Amino acid sequence: MPNPANSPGLGLLGMETEEVQVSPALAVDHAVPSKIDMHHHFCAPEWREWAERHELIKPEQLPPWAKLDIEASVRFMDRAGVATAVLKPMLPARYRSSAQLREAINITLRSMLDVAGSHPGRFSFYVPLFLDDPDASSWAARRGLGQLGAVGVNVTANYGGVYLGDPSYDPVFAELNEYSAVVDTHPHNLPGGPPGAPTVPGIPNFICDFMLDTTRAAVNMISKRTLDRFPNISVVLPHAGGFLPYIATRLEALGRFCDPAVEPAAVRDHLRRFYYDTAGPMAPAATLLAHVPADHILFGTDWPAAPADTVTDLALRALDADPAFTPEQLQGIYHDNALHLIPQLATV
């Protein structure tokens, strides 16, 4: 059954979230809600109650930010100038059966649908998929995308050490291809270690390992030509693609040593076809823009896994001041690119 270390949208496990505080300058600069937040974590309170009742979780083991309610999200969005957020659901537990997993997904989907309905225009949501359970993933995709109006699906970079791009996931990806689905990804701890334990003592895994997890998944998808075999899907890489932009030239030069060999043209092509969110905050954009078009960069806050002051005082300031971006490109990142990728966000 799915491992909690592979649960969609787990985010920065154990990271404390500060109160929503925005500096006066940012409150003025970003006061008008217009941004679309493509990386907004959500832990359904109904799921938490259900999972605790079934002894699947211990509340004290969840990160503090997982206990925040949706009204905290609305307050943060208003102060950060976010008009609409796409919820990335987290439901971390070791489920005892596929049927129990489906119940957990269904509870989460109903909760997100209620949130979207009670806050018109403010929220949409992704469907959580557990690719190590292909039948449950197929069911969840049909229910979320086909019936409930989800704008895409959320997957993790690896499940039990099996990374995105692996042929075992092809049946689900084929179904997602029929939906022309947006496939949003998220990293977590690297496989092989004790759940939640830092790989390097004293260094939280989200500092380095999360970036490598995303990079491994992206490189494996390039190696397996995922975007060629499923041309209708759009894959979103979080945190500006992890280390991928920084090793792109290395991969072009040395990809011939992969099995199967990776052609330089395939590297360049896939880098331009992936989408990248700014959650992080991300590094200065010059390296990213050397490999990808600006209209494939999407705004993401990582709230509430990322503390409010990280978003408002670091990430937003860095994006606004980044010399690699023109004002027109920033307008695209904050709003227009997301609408181009997911037109239904205009009518949530």
Side-chain angles (χ1 to χ4, degrees):
M1 283 301 99
N3 188 306
N6 300 319
S7 301
L10 189 53
L12 309 187
L13 183 61
M15 186 173 184
E16 294 187 2
T17 301
E18 301 178 15
E19 293 296 319
V20 177
Q21 296 179 342
V22 182
S23 66
L26 262 292
V28 172
D29 294 342
H30 294 277
V32 178
S34 60
K35 302 178 186 68
I36 298 176
D37 182 3
M38 298 289 288
H39 191 137
H40 196 105
H41 291 285
F42 176 71
C43 183
E46 298 88 345
W47 173 86
R48 293 198 306 266
E49 296 170 5
W50 172 86
E52 183 178 1
R53 190 167 63 250
H54 286 80
E55 299 182 339
L56 295 171
I57 61 167
K58 294 181 179 180
E60 64 273 13
Q61 293 178 343
L62 292 175
W65 58 262
K67 303 175 182 67
L68 292 174
D69 61 23
I70 205 67
E71 297 309 320
S73 285
V74 172
R75 292 193 298 272
F76 163 76
M77 291 163 62
D78 288 344
R79 296 182 182 185
V82 173
T84 302
V86 180
L87 300 177
K88 291 168 69 93
M90 61 168 287
L91 46 163
R94 187 180 295 276
Y95 297 99
R96 301 185 183 105
S97 68
S98 184
Q100 191 176 60
L101 171 61
R102 293 188 190 206
E103 186 174 1
I105 293 172
N106 206 38
I107 290 168
T108 299
L109 286 172
R110 288 202 308 265
S111 178
M112 293 189 294
L113 193 64
D114 288 345
V115 166
S118 61
H119 297 80
R122 303 309 302 270
F123 294 101
S124 193
F125 58 93
Y126 291 128
V127 183
L129 301 188
F130 290 73
L131 296 180
D132 49 353
D133 189 329
D135 290 340
S137 292
S138 176
W139 166 84
R142 293 195 306 272
R143 176 146 174 75
L145 298 174
Q147 300 173 11
L148 301 182
V151 297
V153 302
N154 178 235
V155 299
T156 52
N158 84 86
Y159 297 81
V162 180
Y163 276 88
L164 298 178
D166 191 87
S168 63
Y169 303 144
D170 283 2
V172 176
F173 269 67
E175 190 165 0
L176 296 174
N177 193 64
E178 293 179 5
Y179 281 107
S180 297
V182 171
V183 179
D184 179 77
T185 69
H186 201 279
H188 198 246
N189 300 321
L190 297 177
T199 304
V200 180
I203 308 298
N205 288 341
F206 57 77
I207 297 292
C208 300
D209 290 11
F210 279 26
M211 305 298 105
L212 179 56
D213 203 37
T214 291
T215 305
R216 285 178 171 182
V219 171
N220 202 45
M221 284 188 281
I222 295 171
S223 173
K224 302 301 189 294
R225 306 296 290 262
T226 297
L227 299 185
D228 290 336
R229 294 186 298 113
F230 305 106
N232 296 332
I233 66 171
S234 300
V235 173
V236 181
L237 302 176
H239 311 122
F243 302 138
L244 182 64
Y246 305 95
I247 67 165
T249 302
R250 179 181 180 88
L251 184 58
E252 286 185 43
L254 302 177
R256 65 184 184 273
F257 296 105
C258 295
D259 184 16
V262 177
E263 297 293 330
V267 177
R268 293 189 292 269
D269 178 62
H270 273 64
L271 259 75
R272 294 183 64 83
R273 290 162 66 186
F274 286 133
Y275 287 80
Y276 306 79
D277 77 35
T278 67
M282 72 175 194
T287 301
L288 181 63
L289 286 176
H291 300 286
V292 311
D295 61 5
H296 276 223
I297 302 174
L298 309 166
F299 178 63
T301 65
D302 221 345
W303 165 268
D309 64 342
T310 297
V311 178
T312 58
D313 294 345
L314 293 177
L316 284 176
R317 290 184 185 276
L319 277 173
D320 288 343
D322 196 318
F325 291 131
T326 67
E328 293 76 18
Q329 288 172 337
L330 279 176
Q331 170 66 22
I333 291 166
Y334 281 136
H335 182 269
D336 298 350
N337 298 346
L339 285 184
H340 180 76
L341 176 63
I342 308 175
Q344 69 195 92
L345 288 174
T347 58
V348 295

